[in-house]
Amino acid sequence: MDHSHGPVVTDRARTLADRLGSARKRTFVGRATERALFRSALEGGEDTFSVLYLHGPGGIGKTTLLRRLGDDARAAGRPVVQVDGRTVEATPAGFSAEAADATSVGGAVLLIDTFEHCQGLEPWLRTRFLPQLPFDTVVVIAGRLPPDARWRVDPDWNDALRVISIGGLSPDEARALVATRNVAPAFHDGILASAGGHPLALTLAAEAAAQEHEGWGTGASDRDMVRVLLSQLVGEVPSHGHRRVLEACALVETTTLEMLREIAGSSAEELFDWLYGLPFTESGRDGVFPHDVVRDPLIADLRWRDPSGFGALLQRLHTYLVGRVRSAPENSVMEVTRSLIYLYRTGSGVADYVTWTGGGGEYEDVYRPEHRATVLRLACEAEGPESARLAEFWLARQPEGFRLYRRVETDEVIAFMAWLRLHSPDGEEIAADPVVAAAWQHVQTHSPSRAGEHITVSRFAVDPASAGRTSPAVDLMVTRSTAEWLRARRVSWSFMTAVDAEFWRPQMTAVEHEPIAFDIRVGRQRTALFGHDWRVRPVGDWLGRLCGELVSGELEPTPPGSRILPRDAFDTAVRSALRDLADNTALRGNPLCSTRLAEDGPALRTLVTDAVEALADPYPKQHRAVRTTYLQRVPTQEAAAERLQLPFSTYRRHLTAGVTAVCDRLWELELDTE
C-alpha cells in the first residue's frame, strides 16, 4: 500500500523511487485518452465522475497504466493508495484494512489492481465501501472482467462511473514502445508483426529479440516467452476440459456451440458460456474467438507441450469442419469452408497463398444477365480481348458456373471466376477454348472418364487488382474451389488454371494438382493448366494427407495412386473374381486389387461375396442363381440349374441378370468411394 503525497522518506528509497519513476515515464507510451479522462477527474467539480473502471485481457497494460495514473496523481499533489487484488484478503474487513487511508485522507486516489482476484467483493464495493469515501476521492479499478451490469442500472452511479475497455496500442504507439527497448531496428517489423498492439506481447517479443539477436524466433527462450504470456493472459484454467476447449478455440476461426458439442458433449453449453465470459475473447455473429495475441501462444504451447494431443484435437476439428462443408446448404457453404481453410493458416503449404485478411470487404455473388458487360470488361482488362471472347462463349453455355466477387462498401463487381462442369468432349467447346481442349486431351490420353463421371475446370480466376496472384477476392475463389472439391460427386478430374504459373505451382503441388501444360496460348496471354485425378487420389485420402501436414508440419510425398478401369474392363474383372473366389493366386492378380475397392485378394473376396448376398432382398431369384453358381461351387452350370430345379434357359437368364446386378452394385461403389 502506498498512501504518500510523494516519494517515501529515506534517501535510499527516494533514489530507488526516482529511478523507477523515471524508467516508467521513459518507457510508457499511448493511453492519452485514459490519462486525459483521469486528469479531468483529478481537477474535480460537481459533474466529474469519481470511479474509473478499466477492464481488458491480461497483459494489455492495465497495471502499467494504473502505475502511470499514480504518477500523474502524485504530480497533481494527490495522495495515492494502492490495493492489489492478488494479495489483499478478499473479504470486506481485509479490503477495508488495506484501503483504510483512502477513507481518512482527503483528496486520495485509490488504485485497485487485478480486481478479478477479488471480484466477489464487487457488490459490497459498489453499495457499501465506495459510497463512504470522501467526496473528492478518485477511484480507479482495473481488472480483466467488465463491471457487473448493476453498476449501470443503479441511478446513483449514472454520473459517478466511467467504464473503459482497454484495447491494444495503435501501430504508431506499438512502434514507439518497441523503440524504447534495446532491440536492433532490423527486428522491429518482425516484433510488430508477431505481437500486434498487445503491450505484454510486444515487451516479451522485444526481450526475446534483444537476447537472441540473430537466433530470435527459435529455441527455449521462445517457449519461456510463451509460458509467461499464457500465464499473464489466460491465468488459471479450471479443468482439463476447460483447457481443451480453450485450445480448440485457439485453433478454429470461430468457436460455436455446435462445434463444442462435438468436442465436449454434454458440457458444451457450460464451457461455451465460460469461453464467452473470458476477458480475452470476443463474440461474433456465430460464436466466440480469442484475441490473436492469446491465440498464437496457445497453439505454440500446445504443439510443444502435448504434440500427440495437439494432433488428435486438430484432426478431430478437421473432421468436424469437413463434415460441415459437405452438408452445408449453398447459402452458407462459403462461410463454413472458410472456417476449414482457417485451420491451414500455419504449418501448411496453403498458408502463403491466402492473404488471411479476414476483413470481409468482399463477398461472393451469383451471376445474373445484367452482369455480362462487367464480366467481359474485367476479363479484357485482366487477360486481354481473347479471354473476354472466351468468357462470353462460356457465359452463353454455363452461366450458372460463374461466381462474382463484389466489394461490400460499394457493391461493385471487382472479380469473377467460372467453375465449368463438362460431361463429355464437345467439338465446338474444344475448338473454341484451348484450355478446355488441353484438359480433354489429357483426360483421354491418361485416364478417360467413365460412364456417369464428369470433369471440372476452374476456367477463369480474374481479379485485375491481383495481377494473377493473391488478393482478398482470390481468397474467395480459393474458398469456392475447396468447397467444390469437397462437395463434388462423380468427378473424374478437376483442372485449375493460372496465368502466373511459377507463383502458383507450389500451391498446386500442395493440393495435388500436377502440371499438365504450361504454355497454353489465349491470345497473347499464357495460361498454365494443373490437374488431379480424383479416382486415383480420392477426397478422403487427399484430406488425410493435408491434415497430416497440419499435424506434423511436413507434407508427405504423394503415394502411388490406384488403377482406374473403364466400365467394360471393370465388368470383366468382376466376372473373373466371381469365377476365382476360391483361388487366392488368381484373386491377387485381379485388376480390381489395384483399384480403390480392394487392396488385396482377401479384401476382394469379401467385397464380391457381400455384393452377391446383397441381391437377396431385391432380386431373390437372381441371388439364388449367382450364389449357387459361384459361392456353393457346383461343378457346372448344368449342375447349378439342376440343384435349383430350374430349366437351363431360365437359370441362365437369372444368372446373367444377377451377375449384371453385382457388376452394377460394385460400379456404384467404385464411383462413390472417397
Side-chain angles (χ1 to χ4, degrees), residues 391-647:
E392 185 174 28
F393 175 84
W394 288 112
L395 280 172
R397 289 189 167 239
Q398 292 195 33
E400 71 282 358
F402 281 72
R403 293 288 188 277
L404 309 182
Y405 300 95
R406 294 178 176 272
R407 185 169 286 123
V408 171
E409 185 178 1
T410 63
D411 219 28
E412 173 191 8
V413 177
I414 59 172
F416 75 92
M417 74 173 293
W419 192 267
L420 306 178
R421 292 175 175 83
L422 307 174
H423 293 271
S424 60
D426 179 283
E428 186 177 355
E429 293 172 353
I430 289 172
D433 192 340
V435 171
V436 169
W440 276 121
Q441 181 182 11
H442 184 81
V443 169
Q444 298 299 91
T445 301
H446 289 78
S447 182
S449 295
R450 303 165 298 188
E453 295 178 334
H454 66 281
I455 72 171
T456 62
V457 181
S458 175
R459 179 58 190 89
F460 300 97
V462 171
D463 177 10
S466 75
R469 298 197 169 191
T470 57
S471 71
V474 173
D475 289 351
L476 292 172
M477 299 178 199
V478 170
T479 303
R480 168 55 61 182
S481 299
T482 304
E484 295 291 346
W485 291 332
L486 297 186
R487 293 160 67 88
R489 302 283 295 184
R490 298 190 174 181
V491 174
S492 57
W493 287 86
S494 64
F495 293 94
M496 305 293 290
T497 57
V499 296
D500 190 335
E502 292 308 317
F503 176 79
W504 287 102
R505 183 169 184 167
Q507 159 68 349
M508 295 299 176
T509 300
V511 296
E512 297 188 27
H513 278 65
E514 299 303 321
I516 305 302
F518 269 163
D519 195 22
I520 304 172
R521 297 282 179 167
V522 178
R524 291 176 297 185
Q525 179 73 58
R526 296 176 62 184
T527 300
L529 187 68
F530 301 83
H532 179 91
D533 189 338
W534 292 102
R535 300 153 311 170
V536 169
R537 189 74 164 152
V539 169
D541 294 345
W542 178 76
L543 284 169
R545 180 169 175 261
L546 291 179
C547 187
E549 182 191 13
L550 289 181
V551 173
S552 67
E554 297 180 358
L555 190 63
E556 296 179 2
T558 306
S562 303
R563 187 175 178 183
I564 305 301
L565 296 177
R567 179 63 196 262
D568 55 351
F570 185 91
D571 288 353
T572 299
V574 172
R575 292 186 173 92
S576 295
L578 283 166
R579 291 192 299 270
D580 298 330
L581 282 177
D583 187 338
N584 290 329
T585 301
L587 282 181
R588 280 199 303 270
N590 189 289
L592 291 176
C593 283
S594 62
T595 68
R596 293 174 294 164
L597 290 176
E599 57 187 31
D600 54 27
L604 179 56
R605 179 183 293 110
T606 300
L607 178 76
V608 174
T609 300
D610 289 347
V612 171
E613 297 294 6
L615 297 178
D617 184 25
Y619 308 114
K621 295 178 181 179
Q622 291 85 346
H623 170 253
R624 286 195 298 271
V626 177
R627 192 176 194 281
T628 300
T629 304
Y630 296 114
L631 301 189
Q632 296 181 353
R633 309 307 303 167
V634 295
T636 65
Q637 291 189 357
E638 287 79 6
E642 184 178 347
R643 178 176 294 184
L644 292 169
Q645 298 181 349
L646 292 174

Side-chain angles (χ1 to χ4, degrees), residues 253-260 272 276 282-289 320 324 332 335-336 338-339:
E253 183 179 28
T254 301
T255 301
T256 65
L257 181 57
E258 179 185 350
M259 187 199 82
L260 284 193
F272 184 83
Y276 180 79
E282 301 177 50
S283 60
R285 181 168 57 89
D286 299 312
V288 300
F289 52 92
Y320 165 75
R324 288 281 319 278
S332 63
E335 183 177 344
V336 296
R338 188 188 67 243
S339 296

